[in-house]
């Protein structure tokens, strides 16, 4: 099985500059969380280094806490309890889990169900996170499809219930974004003015970029090695998340099966190669990247253009040609390398 554990998709271009001015490097720390590399970079040069490092450690601690809170592989957290009690009873959850689930359902509503955290049961059939990922029996998938429906998540005060027995929650399409947001929150509470929290290519930038007007973020080519960029994005503080068909996948009988599933079919969504979303917080960027990927290029770009403060780039193929379409509000800020895309959608 071809299994890419992680791919750093977005690369900061901060260090790459023609300027001869001696620039201070950011203070950085890296950890492995959520099956991926998490990097915190601080560009605040006024605080003492010791204080910054302590703040970064606190941010990592908070991010580990949320990893445990959102993970599907821990069977004692609220997410597991909600799933276990599906069709039986409503579960009292923390306000934090309540609002994370609410936010997830809002993304479902905006994407007309393309993003759906009740994908859990079907995702488990594919076993993407294991060594024995395989195409499940199609009849089995069809029989499970009625158990994927965000409308069957019931919210009542502090309680959440999945109304159909067997339903399973999977926060894999949005948890990384929330974790990034919380990491940034800790850093800001610690008095840090400027930095980047990045997890497996999704990131949130806060504060001003030293030495330059804008931050520059490289977008990786979805079909070339990790080192090759397809475009560069210039931005102020924002969040950026990408969903791609090359991040977690296996090949069976010459066909690529990746981990972004269409809730309507239970099979990998086929319309896009990658979707990068740019918006204020990382939770929404992450959720919309997954949802827009499922919607495909046409419906996806229409949705992005309709959502205030959400921008994005969708890459897709037509025949053998890699194409892209960019939302209206991003066109001024994104620059594609001339030889990287053969056609423009
Ligand atoms: P990555 O985690 O690689 O950045 P995504 O943000 O697109 O990629 O998340 C993919 C994960 O989201 C899958 O591994 C699965 O846990 C979950 N998922 C898959 N399809 C959907 C969907 N249609 N809606 C919500 N979550 C999904
Ligand atoms: Mg996502």
């Amino acid at each position: 099985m071809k299994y890419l554990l992680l791919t750093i998709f977005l690369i900061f271009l901060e260090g790459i500059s023609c300027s001869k001015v001696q620039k201070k490097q950011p203070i950085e720390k890296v950890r492995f969380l959520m099956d991926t590399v998490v990097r915190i970079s601080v560009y605040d040069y006024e605080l003492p280094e010791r204080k910054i490092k302590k703040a970064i450690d606190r941010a990592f601690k908070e991010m580990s806490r949320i990893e445990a809170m959102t993970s599907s592989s821990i069977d004692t957290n609220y997410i597991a309890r909600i799933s276990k009690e599906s069709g039986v009873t409503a579960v009292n959850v923390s306000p934090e889990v309540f609002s994370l689930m609410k936010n997830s359902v809002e993304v479902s509503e905006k994407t007309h169900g393309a993003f759906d955290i009740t994908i859990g049961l079907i995702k488990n059939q594919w076993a993407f996170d294991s060594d024995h990922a395989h195409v499940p029996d199609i009849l089995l998938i069809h029989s499970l499809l009625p158990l994927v429906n965000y409308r069957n998540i019931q919210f009542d005060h502090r309680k959440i219930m999945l109304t159909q027995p067997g339903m399973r929650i999977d926060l894999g399409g949005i948890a990384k974004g929330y974790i990034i947001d919380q990491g940034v929150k800790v850093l800001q509470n610690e008095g840090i003015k400027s930095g980047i929290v990045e997890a497996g290519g999704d990131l949130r930038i806060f504060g001003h970029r030293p030495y330059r007007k804008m931050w520059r973020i490289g977008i990786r080519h979805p079909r070339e090695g990790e080192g090759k960029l397809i475009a560069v994005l210039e931005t102020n503080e924002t969040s950026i998340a990408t969903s791609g068909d090359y991040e977690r996948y296996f090949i069976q009988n010459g066909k690529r099966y990746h981990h972004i599933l269409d809730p309507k079919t239970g099979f990998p969504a086929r319309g896009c190669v990658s979707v990068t979303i740019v918006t204020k917080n990382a939770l929404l960027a992450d959720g919309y990247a997954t949802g827009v990927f499922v919607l495909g290029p046409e419906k996806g770009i229409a949705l992005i253009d309709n959502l205030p403060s959400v921008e994005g780039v969708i890459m897709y193929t037509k025949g053998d040609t890699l194409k892209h379409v960019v939302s209206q509000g991003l066109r001024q800020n994104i620059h594609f390398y001339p030889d990287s895309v053969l056609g423009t959608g």
Side-chain angles (χ1 to χ4, degrees), residues 10-17 23-28 39-45 184 187-188 192-198 203-219 229 231-240 278-280 330 332-335 337:
L10 295 151
I11 302 161
F12 323 140
L13 299 179
E14 302 309 306
I16 308 167
S17 167
K23 290 179 180 173
K24 265 185 149 175
Q25 293 301 310
I27 295 172
E28 286 190 335
R39 177 165 50 163
I40 296 182
S41 314
V42 169
Y43 291 83
D44 188 328
Y45 305 123
V184 168
L187 295 173
Q188 288 180 322
I192 290 174
K193 299 273 182 311
S194 171
I196 301 178
V197 176
E198 187 229 335
L203 57 88
R204 179 163 173 167
I205 299 164
F206 65 100
H208 292 292
R209 159 84 169 84
Y211 310 113
R212 267 180 187 272
K213 270 201 191 129
M214 306 270 260
W215 298 88
R216 296 175 75 220
I217 306 291
I219 299 182
L229 299 182
V232 174
L233 180 68
E234 289 197 316
T235 179
N236 289 315
E237 57 183 335
T238 196
S239 298
I240 305 171
V278 182
T279 193
K280 204 164 167 244
L330 207 62
Q332 298 294 321
N333 301 78
I334 192 160
H335 309 285
Y337 290 109

Side-chain angles (χ1 to χ4, degrees), residues 114-116 123 170 172-173 176 243 247 259-261 263 286 290:
F115 179 83
D116 194 329
K123 189 202 157 184
D170 176 78
K176 212 196 284 171
S243 289
E247 289 179 357
H259 70 146
I260 303 166
L261 302 170
D286 191 8
T290 308

Side-chain angles (χ1 to χ4, degrees), residues 4-7 34 36 72 108 111 113-120 123 128-129 148 170-177 199-202 241-244 246-248 258-264 267 269 275 285-287 289-291 293-294:
L4 292 189
L5 185 63
L6 59 101
T7 49
M34 298 168 292
T36 199
S72 310
S108 296
T111 59
F115 179 83
D116 194 329
I117 55 169
T118 63
I119 198 76
K123 189 202 157 184
F128 284 110
D129 298 332
V148 178
D170 176 78
L171 294 175
I174 203 161
K176 212 196 284 171
D202 296 351
T242 296
S243 289
Y246 50 85
E247 289 179 357
R248 264 166 214 240
H258 60 79
H259 70 146
I260 303 166
L261 302 170
D262 185 342
K264 282 201 187 113
F267 273 70
V275 173
D286 191 8
T290 308
F293 189 103
V294 172

Side-chain angles (χ1 to χ4, degrees), residues 31 33-34 37-40 55-70 175-187 196-199 202:
R31 291 271 170 88
L33 290 172
M34 298 168 292
V37 174
V38 179
R39 177 165 50 163
I40 296 182
I56 294 178
D57 288 340
R58 290 209 168 120
F60 278 134
K61 202 170 163 205
E62 167 69 354
M63 293 168 92
S64 311
R65 181 187 70 80
I66 302 166
E67 179 186 23
M69 185 186 90
T70 54
K176 212 196 284 171
Y178 180 61
I179 284 174
I180 292 171
D181 284 335
Q182 290 304 106
V184 168
K185 198 165 153 190
V186 170
L187 295 173
I196 301 178
V197 176
E198 187 229 335
D202 296 351

